[in-house]
């Protein structure tokens, strides 16, 4: 009898148990046992499912390909290599951040899409178009044709407000089953040991994230968006409790670029530092008398680097950007990437035991020396390729590996051209027919040196050197 009385008192006095109408956001350990429904009710209307369509071509296998004799004839697809086009559908998630219909999602969700449909939680469907595609951050912005309607939207919140252990929600459309909410905690911040996008700086969470969640929001308990879910660590495609989200600070830079009218297929311009840096290890920290291994050690500076012009020197350790401490070199790159071009960032630098504050202006990668783009035509294997001199702007556009700061690179090439059969954009021409290639003007004379044995090309691709013989 006493137990029943105690249970009745508990039911009448505990918020959220006495009445289903008194639900509230969990704020204490006891309230964690209640409900996340208020958060979900706030964010769900702004989360969208994204359906895309694109036309893809695939080879139709020749019926003789499996024959031991005839298969030799089809190795180069000269015979019977018919192509068939079909429509491929894919799905993902996104979140509306403006009532006028601006949607944030992942760039890989809408890549090569010819038709994009956005579906709200209430079932309404809207056509949309890509207004900004930033592959470097794996973020994209869509504009929804709202037909004059005001749409529900969510607010961005700095991920800096998060701490490891905070509860977060992931909302999306996993496996196409429909809008799904999962909960978890922030497992780690500033994850930088991945290779997902150019900035490699992520929030890690154990909230279940599966295929189809990409582009959906990571949500704090006040209903604000602190990140965009982008990838998972998985052996079989399912959730293993290791998901990664792009911090909201990077999302904010992409939104600001769209507001400023900086749109296009190549993404948005970001500050160029002209620096080669390495993470401070325990050994480096000990040699520099640092109390702990944090920061980025400046290993090299480009002659045009704004850091060099501001007084930063090789051997300095960058400890903070705009008063935000730097754990490693990737975090320094991320922090600078969120500084708008034209503004000044303050770097805290350690030099010979002394801490210095250095103002550094964020600049776009210089297009100098001139790239001198040149389309190649003629009776040679490079017919159809467009080449250019390497400079910081070209390195940034193509994502060339560090160290490739001069020479001649393949910018692009025509589909089906001779060059497209053995070269790809971003590959650096080192030698042609035994002649070294230092600039664009060296290419034409080298191509004229062919003999009865054909042409030879020595190229570098992401630091890997190989020689290709064409007869």
């Amino acid at each position: 009898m006493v137990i029943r009385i105690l249970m009745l008192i508990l039911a009448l006095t505990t918020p959220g148990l006495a009445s289903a109408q008194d639900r509230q956001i969990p704020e204490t350990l006891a309230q964690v046992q209640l409900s996340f429904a208020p958060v979900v009710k706030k964010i769900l209307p702004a989360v969208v499912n994204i359906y895309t369509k694109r036309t893809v071509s695939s080879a139709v296998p020749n019926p003789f390909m499996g024959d031991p004799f005839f298969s030799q004839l089809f190795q180069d697809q000269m015979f019977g290599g018919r192509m068939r086009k079909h429509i491929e559908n894919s799905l993902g998630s996104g979140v509306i951040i403006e009532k006028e219909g601006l949607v944030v999602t992942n760039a890989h969700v809408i890549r090569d899409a010819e038709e994009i449909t956005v579906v709200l939680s209430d079932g309404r469907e809207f056509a949309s178009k890509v207004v900004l595609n930033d592959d470097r951050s794996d973020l994209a912005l869509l504009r929804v044709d709202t037909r004059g309607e005001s749409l529900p939207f969510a607010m961005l919140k700095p991920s800096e407000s998060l701490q490891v252990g905070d509860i977060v929600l992931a909302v999306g459309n996993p496996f196409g089953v429909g809008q799904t909410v999962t909960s978890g905690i922030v497992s780690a911040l500033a994850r930088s040991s991945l290779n997902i996008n150019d900035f490699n700086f992520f929030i890690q969470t154990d909230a279940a994230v599966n295929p189809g969640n990409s582009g959906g929001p990571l949500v704090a308990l006040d209903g604000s968006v602190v990140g965009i879910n982008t990838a998972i660590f998985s052996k079989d495609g399912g959730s293993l409790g290791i998901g990664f989200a792009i911090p909201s600070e990077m999302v904010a830079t992409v939104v600001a670029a769209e507001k400023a009218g900086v749109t296009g297929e190549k993404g948005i311009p970001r500050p160029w530092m002209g620096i080669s840096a390495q993470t401070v290890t325990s050994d480096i920290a000990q040699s520099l008398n640092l109390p702990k291994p944090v920061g980025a050690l400046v290993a090299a500076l480009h002659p045009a680097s704004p850091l060099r012009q501001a007084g930063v020197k090789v051997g300095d350790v960058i400890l903070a950007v705009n008063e935000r401490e730097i754990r490693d070199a990737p975090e320094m790159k991320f922090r600078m990437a969120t500084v708008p071009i034209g503004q000044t960032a303050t770097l805290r630098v350690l030099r010979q035991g002394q801490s210095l504050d250095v103002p550094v202006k964020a600049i776009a990668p210089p297009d100098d020396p001139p790239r001198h783009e040149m389309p190649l035509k003629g009776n040679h294997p490079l017919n159809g390729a467009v080449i250019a001199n390497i400079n910081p702007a070209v390195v940034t556009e193509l994502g060339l590996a560090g160290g490739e700061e001069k020479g001649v690179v393949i910018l692009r090439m025509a589909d089906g051209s001779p060059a497209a059969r053995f070269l790809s954009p971003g590959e650096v021409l080192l030698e042609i027919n035994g002649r070294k290639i230092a600039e664009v003007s060296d290419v034409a004379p080298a191509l004229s040196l062919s003999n009865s044995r054909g042409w030879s090309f020595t190229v570098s691709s992401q630091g890997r050197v190989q020689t290709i013989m064409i007869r």
Side-chain angles (χ1 to χ4, degrees):
M1 184 67 180
V2 174
I3 295 177
R4 291 182 179 178
I5 294 174
L6 290 175
M7 291 179 65
L8 178 60
I9 294 173
L10 182 65
L12 293 174
T13 59
T14 302
L17 294 179
S19 170
Q21 303 299 319
D22 296 332
R23 291 176 178 172
Q24 56 182 306
I25 297 173
E27 295 177 349
T28 67
L29 181 60
Q31 292 175 349
V32 167
Q33 302 174 29
L34 302 180
S35 175
F36 294 119
V39 187
V40 175
K41 184 177 181 180
K42 183 176 181 180
I43 186 65
L44 204 60
V47 180
V48 299
N49 299 336
I50 297 176
Y51 298 91
T52 66
K53 292 182 180 180
R54 63 173 182 165
T55 304
V56 297
S57 299
S58 58
V60 179
N62 193 288
F64 294 105
M65 283 292 291
D67 186 275
F69 173 76
F70 287 104
S71 63
Q72 302 177 52
L73 302 177
F74 305 130
Q75 289 179 357
D76 59 1
Q77 296 297 310
M78 290 180 63
F79 300 97
R82 295 183 295 112
M83 302 297 289
R84 175 182 295 168
K85 293 184 177 181
H86 64 277
I87 301 297
E88 182 177 270
N89 298 301
S90 61
L91 57 88
S93 306
V95 58
I96 305 171
I97 59 170
E98 288 182 357
K99 64 180 180 180
E100 293 81 12
L102 184 64
V103 177
V104 180
T105 186
N106 284 140
H108 72 261
V109 168
I110 50 84
R111 183 168 293 128
D112 300 325
E114 298 170 357
E115 182 180 329
I116 303 174
T117 301
V118 167
V119 182
L120 275 63
S121 61
D122 60 10
R124 287 182 293 170
E125 296 186 6
F126 297 91
S128 65
K129 63 179 181 179
V130 179
V131 293
L132 195 151
N133 189 359
D134 187 49
D135 280 328
R136 295 188 64 198
S137 66
D138 194 23
L139 289 171
L141 298 179
L142 310 178
R143 278 286 178 189
V144 173
D145 181 8
T146 64
R147 303 187 289 268
E149 299 180 40
S150 293
L151 301 184
F153 64 97
M155 301 294 294
L156 294 178
K157 178 181 180 179
S159 68
E160 299 288 344
S161 61
L162 294 176
Q163 296 183 23
V164 174
D166 282 352
I167 295 175
V168 287
L169 306 181
V171 189
N173 182 19
F175 299 109
V177 299
Q179 281 198 344
T180 302
V181 181
T182 56
S183 67
I185 64 169
V186 175
S187 304
L189 296 168
R191 280 290 190 228
S192 59
S193 59
L194 310 169
N195 190 25
I196 299 174
N197 63 23
D198 279 8
F199 301 104
N200 283 329
F201 192 81
F202 300 94
I203 304 165
Q204 181 181 329
T205 176
D206 70 346
V209 176
N210 288 287
N213 272 107
S214 291
L218 187 69
V219 184
L221 289 187
D222 63 356
S224 299
V225 177
V226 291
I228 297 296
N229 298 312
T230 187
I232 60 173
F233 178 84
S234 176
K235 295 182 179 179
D236 58 6
S239 174
L240 294 179
I242 303 178
F244 301 100
I246 301 169
S248 56
E249 287 82 358
M250 183 60 72
V251 178
T253 65
V254 174
V255 174
E258 196 272 341
K259 297 293 184 186
V262 183
T263 61
E265 296 182 356
K266 293 184 179 180
I268 64 176
R270 287 192 171 85
W272 175 76
M273 301 181 67
I275 182 179
S276 176
Q278 65 183 95
T279 298
V280 173
T281 63
S282 297
D283 291 339
I284 294 174
Q286 186 176 0
S287 67
L288 297 174
N289 294 320
L290 290 174
K292 56 183 179 180
V294 293
L297 177 66
V298 179
L301 290 166
H302 190 280
S305 168
L307 278 74
R308 177 191 289 272
Q309 296 174 5
V312 176
K313 298 179 180 180
V314 173
D316 289 347
V317 177
I318 299 176
L319 298 177
V321 175
N322 288 336
E323 299 185 353
R324 291 187 174 91
E325 291 188 357
I326 300 301
R327 298 174 181 85
D328 50 29
E331 182 167 1
M332 177 195 66
K333 183 178 180 180
F334 172 84
R335 296 298 180 193
M336 284 300 299
T338 61
V339 178
I341 290 177
Q343 293 190 11
T344 298
T346 301
L347 274 57
R348 187 184 311 138
V349 174
L350 182 68
R351 178 183 302 160
Q352 297 179 348
Q354 293 187 340
S355 179
L356 308 171
D357 284 340
V358 180
V360 176
K361 187 175 182 179
I363 67 170
D367 206 1
D368 186 65
R371 63 177 68 195
H372 291 314
E373 287 189 24
M374 176 184 293
L376 298 177
K377 299 180 180 179
N379 188 23
H380 54 71
L382 291 185
N383 182 23
V386 178
I387 60 174
N389 291 323
I390 295 176
N391 62 31
V394 172
V395 169
T396 301
E397 289 173 16
L398 297 178
L400 299 183
E404 293 178 337
E405 297 178 349
K406 59 182 179 179
V408 176
V409 67
I410 304 291
L411 272 185
R412 56 187 178 275
M413 54 189 63
D415 292 338
S417 64
R421 297 177 183 176
F422 69 99
L423 289 176
S424 301
E427 292 186 321
V428 179
L429 296 172
L430 302 178
E431 292 185 6
I432 298 177
N433 296 327
R435 175 175 289 189
K436 293 187 180 299
I437 304 300
E439 56 186 34
V440 166
S441 59
D442 296 331
V443 173
L447 286 172
S448 66
L449 297 177
S450 65
N451 52 40
S452 58
R453 292 178 296 179
W455 291 267
S456 68
F457 300 90
T458 301
V459 300
S460 173
S461 178
Q462 298 295 330
R464 185 173 61 91
V465 177
Q466 61 177 330
T467 298
I468 302 171
M469 300 298 299
I470 305 293
R471 293 182 172 84

